[in-house]
Amino acid sequence: MSNNNELLVDKSALLEGVSRYIEKGVINGNILIHRSLLSELEKETRDGLLSGELALDEIQRIKEVSERYLFSVEFVGEYSSNVDQAIREYCKEKGCTIVTSDEIQKQVSQFLGISVIYLEPSQPELSIEKMFDENTMSVHLKEDTIPKAKKGKPGSWQFVNLSNSVTTAEDIKHIVSEIINSIRYVKNSFIEIERKGSTIVQLGNYRIVITRPPLSDGWEVTITRPVTKKSLQEYNLADKLIERLKNRAEGILIAGSPGMGKTTFAQALAEYYMQLGKIVKTIESPRDMHLPPDITQYSKNYAEIGELHDILLLSRPDYTVYDEMRNDDDFRLYIDLRLAGIGMIGVVHATTPIDAIHRFLSRIDLGTIPGILDTVIFISEGSVKKVYSLEMTVKVPLGLKEADLARPVVEIKDFMTDTVEYEIYVFGEQTMIVPATRTTSSNTIESKIAKTVMQSIPDADVKYENGEYIIKIPKNEIGKFNRRLNNKIRKLEKKHGIRIKITLGESSNGASNESNNDNSDE
């Protein structure tokens, strides 16, 4: 037990909760608070930083405890921009003792011959841990409401009440104080982002988002934790897709709605590539993927985009996982690294897989799309629901008619069936995404032609190819193609401004086909 009479506390001691040590009799004496520290805490609180507000609350608790235990609380020293140095210089001059929970402050003070009381970071069971069970995905706390939890798995969950009691602002502040203090002793923990009114913390496996006034209308804490960690094998992917991911996919986009399991799949894919002997790195904001030490995780919040760009270009990973791509800088970095030859796996929010591709269109030229994106994987309810591949070709786009309108077209295909579902092309100055299976004008005209022909020749076949409609008539039924039917076809051709070609197909006895003249008139 310390009997030092004058104790000068620093910020780490306030955040550790020095008032608890006083109440337990671990330390005693008059408490000194340097004016430089008070000024810094005031500025941080006005800037909306959480640690400043919590430290000021602790000073208030110390003053309340002082009235019960009869010790003084005094503000000392002159203002200085370097708070820790000012605290050490005051204690060296006056002979008082520094109370700290900061390992570096302790070491430097001891080097200078200053008396130090070191508060070992306490490791009590966190309140938030009691709110989770094996099925809990997230916990949602807000002042003046009942605490709730989301239980289940991605795509299949429900909200449940954790208590019948309303959570107060003081309850939430106590939990937040625990979280901030725990960062120092829980492995893989740090404050990822701190802004005015919001703080994002990674605490072990927990990702914690804290908001408070003026950003939100009250104190709110959202705590998420991965419920499941899956390997790629557990997704039961088709061999064709596994082969694609292994040998050909280098511009991968993982899309899906929030909470559907995109990041879980990205983790599985990252580990899969690592097991193949590839060098894998991630860019995250915040870092909430749980990966082996062999995979380096970079935080976008602790580096400029240009710095990450340089690091990745110089270190040359085989694959980079870019989690939570949102703004122009994110997409530009993805594009630059992909064009430099680095395999990229991007994670984006999208309600449909085509929406994810839309987000790239305004940011890159049409001709570079297949080189940047080659595989789009859509995740829903924790599983792979759709896979698209992208390929470039030159053709007359669906919905256009003249052969001289041929142009570069990006075909978006269902990877499993190899069926073209969308086409991307430039028309005028606008980039179009046209559904291939639902091109209204094309399908309507095709059905009209088919209806006209099949009234006379039921075995005829009508299809749209390369900007024209082709009627294929079995050779043994060519006699049914008369002047009246030909006139009907030419009227359709003139009315809709289209081109219709008549060809001979195999007859019922298997004769080889032979092309007929466009204007044949039997």
Side-chain angles (χ1 to χ4, degrees):
M1 180 180 295
S2 172
N3 292 313
N4 299 75
N5 190 42
E6 302 287 323
L7 307 175
L8 183 58
V9 299
D10 69 0
K11 183 178 177 180
S12 67
L14 293 174
L15 292 175
E16 179 60 30
V18 68
S19 59
R20 293 185 288 110
Y21 293 85
I22 296 171
E23 289 180 300
K24 293 175 182 177
V26 176
I27 61 174
N28 57 63
N30 296 322
I31 300 297
L32 306 179
I33 298 169
H34 203 284
R35 289 189 177 90
S36 294
L37 175 58
L38 186 64
S39 178
E40 181 183 79
L41 299 180
E42 178 188 5
K43 183 179 185 304
E44 288 181 354
T45 304
R46 290 188 186 280
D47 289 343
L49 301 184
L50 184 60
S51 57
E53 185 171 347
L54 294 175
L56 284 180
D57 287 345
E58 178 63 15
I59 291 175
Q60 180 59 39
R61 277 191 289 273
I62 292 172
K63 290 178 71 71
E64 293 169 358
V65 171
S66 71
E67 295 174 0
R68 298 202 309 269
Y69 290 87
L70 302 177
F71 61 87
S72 67
V73 179
E74 186 180 352
F75 296 93
V76 298
E78 299 298 327
Y79 175 77
S80 170
S81 58
N82 190 326
V83 177
D84 285 338
Q85 183 178 334
I87 287 173
R88 290 192 294 269
E89 288 178 352
Y90 183 89
C91 282
K92 191 167 182 64
E93 179 185 345
K94 302 294 184 181
C96 58
T97 298
I98 293 178
V99 181
T100 185
S101 189
D102 182 347
E103 181 70 30
I104 296 174
Q105 175 79 294
K106 180 187 80 169
Q107 289 182 351
V108 174
S109 298
Q110 288 175 338
F111 293 157
L112 296 173
I114 300 169
S115 175
V116 179
I117 295 177
Y118 181 65
L119 306 179
E120 286 281 352
S122 55
Q123 300 186 26
E125 183 181 6
L126 293 172
S127 301
I128 61 172
E129 291 181 333
K130 301 173 185 176
M131 302 176 188
F132 281 82
D133 61 23
E134 64 276 8
N135 296 317
T136 304
M137 297 171 61
S138 59
V139 168
H140 303 259
L141 310 174
K142 185 179 180 184
E143 66 174 278
D144 300 329
T145 67
I146 291 173
K148 295 179 175 63
K150 186 188 289 186
K151 296 197 174 189
K153 59 183 181 179
S156 177
W157 49 263
Q158 60 180 351
F159 267 121
V160 298
N161 291 339
L162 293 177
S163 168
N164 295 323
S165 303
V166 169
T167 306
T168 66
E170 288 304 314
D171 293 334
I172 294 183
K173 283 186 180 183
H174 176 72
I175 291 170
V176 169
S177 181
E178 277 188 358
I179 292 167
I180 299 300
N181 289 333
S182 301
I183 290 172
R184 282 174 290 169
Y185 62 80
V186 176
K187 189 177 179 182
N188 298 324
S189 300
F190 42 84
I191 294 177
E192 184 77 42
I193 303 171
E194 188 162 22
R195 304 188 184 102
K196 188 170 185 176
S198 70
T199 306
I200 298 177
V201 176
Q202 190 68 40
L203 189 67
N205 286 338
Y206 298 101
R207 183 176 66 182
I208 303 165
V209 180
I210 304 163
T211 62
R212 54 203 179 276
L215 175 64
S216 59
D217 60 352
W219 280 79
E220 183 177 23
V221 179
T222 303
I223 310 143
T224 59
R225 185 191 66 178
V227 179
T228 56
K229 185 175 181 181
K230 299 169 72 174
S231 67
L232 201 65
Q233 289 73 24
E234 292 177 85
Y235 284 91
N236 298 317
L237 302 180
D239 292 342
K240 182 180 179 183
L241 180 55
I242 291 290
E243 184 68 20
R244 171 88 174 193
L245 294 173
K246 183 177 179 180
N247 297 320
R248 288 191 57 197
E250 291 187 324
I252 302 169
L253 204 57
I254 300 171
S257 300
M260 288 297 171
K262 301 184 299 298
T263 300
T264 303
F265 183 79
Q267 286 179 180
L269 195 55
E271 291 193 36
Y272 172 73
Y273 283 127
M274 182 199 74
Q275 290 161 3
L276 290 177
K278 308 290 187 183
I279 297 172
V280 183
K281 299 181 186 293
T282 73
I283 303 172
E284 302 169 61
S285 175
R287 284 171 291 193
D288 64 341
M289 299 176 79
H290 303 285
L291 295 165
D294 288 332
I295 297 176
T296 303
Q297 296 174 255
Y298 296 119
S299 170
K300 197 177 69 173
N301 301 305
Y302 285 89
E304 297 293 332
I305 288 292
E307 184 180 353
L308 288 171
H309 181 274
D310 293 343
I311 289 170
L312 289 165
L313 281 180
L314 291 170
S315 60
R316 285 285 173 167
D318 297 302
Y319 283 92
T320 298
V321 181
Y322 204 135
D323 194 27
E324 301 289 350
M325 292 166 57
R326 298 187 186 94
N327 56 39
D328 284 343
D329 286 342
D330 296 337
F331 284 91
R332 274 197 293 268
L333 182 56
Y334 179 101
I335 292 165
D336 285 347
L337 294 175
R338 180 68 203 98
L339 290 174
I342 296 173
M344 297 297 295
I345 303 166
V347 180
V348 297
H349 290 304
T351 53
T352 65
I354 199 66
D355 288 342
I357 299 173
H358 259 293
R359 302 183 70 175
F360 276 86
L361 290 186
S362 62
R363 297 177 167 100
I364 50 177
D365 295 330
L366 179 70
T368 61
I369 289 178
I372 293 167
L373 295 179
D374 54 46
T375 309
V376 179
I377 300 172
F378 186 71
I379 306 292
S380 181
E381 298 180 358
S383 62
V384 176
K385 296 295 185 184
K386 192 79 168 178
V387 181
Y388 279 146
S389 61
L390 286 79
E391 297 176 10
M392 175 71 81
T393 186
V394 176
K395 58 176 286 191
V396 176
L398 291 173
L400 302 184
K401 306 169 185 67
E402 300 296 334
D404 57 2
L405 293 177
R407 65 198 61 213
V409 175
V410 175
E411 293 183 329
I412 302 174
K413 297 181 178 181
D414 182 309
F415 176 72
M416 301 309 298
T417 64
D418 207 36
T419 303
V420 177
E421 294 199 2
Y422 293 89
E423 289 185 347
I424 309 176
Y425 57 90
V426 176
F427 188 78
E429 295 183 357
Q430 187 173 2
T431 302
M432 313 286 292
I433 294 188
V434 180
T437 56
R438 293 174 298 185
T439 307
T440 306
S441 60
S442 173
N443 286 346
T444 302
I445 295 169
E446 189 174 312
S447 64
K448 285 181 180 179
I449 296 171
K451 184 178 179 181
T452 301
V453 174
M454 290 178 186
Q455 285 177 347
S456 302
I457 311 173
D459 292 333
D461 179 55
V462 179
K463 62 181 178 180
Y464 182 82
E465 281 185 2
N466 298 324
E468 62 184 6
Y469 295 90
I470 298 174
I471 301 173
K472 189 175 288 187
I473 300 174
K475 190 174 182 181
N476 61 337
E477 294 190 8
I478 192 63
K480 297 178 183 179
F481 186 76
N482 52 35
R483 183 183 297 275
R484 185 179 176 188
L485 178 56
N486 186 57
N487 288 339
K488 288 181 180 179
I489 290 171
R490 300 310 154 201
K491 284 180 181 178
L492 285 172
E493 193 175 42
K494 186 176 180 180
K495 179 180 178 181
H496 296 287
I498 58 176
R499 178 177 169 83
I500 300 176
K501 184 177 181 179
I502 315 285
T503 64
L504 293 181
E506 291 187 358
S507 61
S508 55
N509 61 11
S512 59
N513 33 333
E514 178 185 327
S515 182
N516 194 23
N517 187 282
D518 258 24
N519 296 309
S520 60
D521 185 12
E522 296 293 327

